[in-house]
Amino acid sequence: KAGVTQTPRYLIKTRGQQVTLSCSPISGHRSVSWYQQTPGQGLQFLFEYFSETQRNKGNFPGRFSGRQFSNSRSEMNVSTLELGDSALYLCASRTGLVSGANVLTFGAGSRLTVL
Amino acid sequence: AQTVTQSQPEMSVQEAETVTLSCTYDTSESNYYLFWYKQPPSRQMILVIRQEAYKQQNATENRFSVNFQKAAKSFSLKISDSQLGDTAMYFCAFARGAQKLVFGQGTRLTINP
């Protein structure tokens, strides 16, 4: 069974640009969550999607957005990049939104560097 | 809001030793889940162990076990017979039901040969 796949693994952007990151969940997993990981702030929740609907959202500005497709694949977009957006972006999937299915399986992450 | 605190930013032990990582959390909920995740230098986060708060028995997975003290809101991870492959960042996390996971700041564990 394939794991959670994130692309690209590494990317470099300049301030003001936008970026789109992709995440393919484990087959059968319908929920996809995104986290930002930085040395200073640790792991911070961005949002979670289930059945193409955003179910939860963290405290990030509107420049951070996401979506989920009918095949459960998800993308997140960051517009007008700032230096502080440099981070490892982790995607995680789980089967659903019930308590017994709250174990997240993570991808390897996308390392974004903003210059 | 729930918070998770890991008071040990870094730890280092010799191979084959036992090491305990600390985690405390703050919540007013009575039913919740606690997790330990491991993030090796390759970066992929891996679930180590999960504990359901309503279960009295401490969870165990091979060399990994937890000491769950609900009243004290403490959830420590014990790694027995540590191995070089245990070198990683370890994150403690809290979740209320199916809600988002809230992570601690992590403990960087180094196993020395």
Side-chain angles (χ1 to χ4, degrees):
Chain A
K1 201 173 192 180
V4 178
T5 304
Q6 291 189 244
T7 56
R9 292 288 306 275
Y10 304 90
L11 65 166
I12 300 173
K13 294 285 186 177
T14 57
R15 280 182 298 174
Q17 287 186 313
Q18 74 165 11
V19 65
T20 298
L21 309 178
S22 178
C23 173
S24 293
I26 289 175
S27 178
H29 284 196
R30 298 172 61 193
S31 163
V32 173
S33 298
W34 290 89
Y35 286 82
Q36 182 196 64
Q37 185 177 17
T38 59
Q41 299 297 317
L43 282 151
Q44 292 188 289
F45 173 76
L46 281 156
F47 27 64
E48 178 175 23
Y49 286 86
F50 179 81
S51 291
E52 303 178 63
T53 302
Q54 188 180 88
R55 301 290 175 157
N56 288 298
K57 189 178 188 305
N59 295 322
F60 278 82
R63 300 185 298 106
F64 291 81
S65 63
R67 60 178 174 168
Q68 187 180 34
F69 302 95
S70 58
N71 61 358
S72 295
R73 189 178 70 87
S74 177
E75 289 181 348
M76 68 162 283
N77 183 276
V78 188
S79 62
T80 319
L81 284 166
E82 301 177 359
L83 295 178
D85 297 333
S86 293
L88 180 65
Y89 289 89
L90 293 170
C91 168
S93 72
R94 54 180 174 168
T95 52
L97 297 183
V98 295
S99 297
N102 61 3
V103 174
L104 293 177
T105 301
F106 284 85
S110 292
R111 169 75 65 187
L112 170 65
T113 301
V114 182
L115 302 176
Chain B
Q2 289 81 15
T3 58
V4 178
T5 302
Q6 293 178 248
S7 59
Q8 306 148 313
E10 293 190 33
M11 296 187 72
S12 178
V13 299
Q14 296 299 120
E15 192 175 7
E17 290 184 344
T18 294
V19 59
T20 299
L21 309 183
S22 301
C23 173
T24 58
Y25 57 94
D26 185 27
T27 184
S28 58
E29 303 289 333
S30 57
N31 293 322
Y32 49 86
Y33 296 80
L34 294 163
F35 307 80
W36 279 99
Y37 276 88
K38 166 185 176 181
Q39 187 178 39
S42 65
R43 300 186 330 203
Q44 192 137 8
M45 298 266 284
I46 305 165
L47 176 69
V48 175
I49 206 162
R50 182 179 84 152
Q51 174 80 41
E52 298 169 56
Y54 63 87
K55 288 189 176 179
Q56 299 279 359
Q57 187 172 5
N58 289 325
T60 299
E61 287 289 339
N62 300 315
R63 297 182 295 107
F64 298 86
S65 61
V66 296
N67 183 4
F68 174 46
Q69 301 290 327
K70 191 172 183 179
K73 296 180 182 175
S74 170
F75 183 61
S76 60
L77 175 70
K78 185 172 83 171
I79 306 174
S80 303
D81 186 27
S82 58
Q83 301 174 0
L84 297 179
D86 296 332
T87 292
M89 283 288 291
Y90 286 81
F91 292 95
C92 178
F94 169 102
R96 179 168 58 88
Q99 298 299 311
K100 66 179 183 183
L101 264 64
V102 176
F103 288 87
Q105 288 292 98
T107 296
R108 184 179 303 278
L109 174 65
T110 302
I111 309 298
N112 299 305

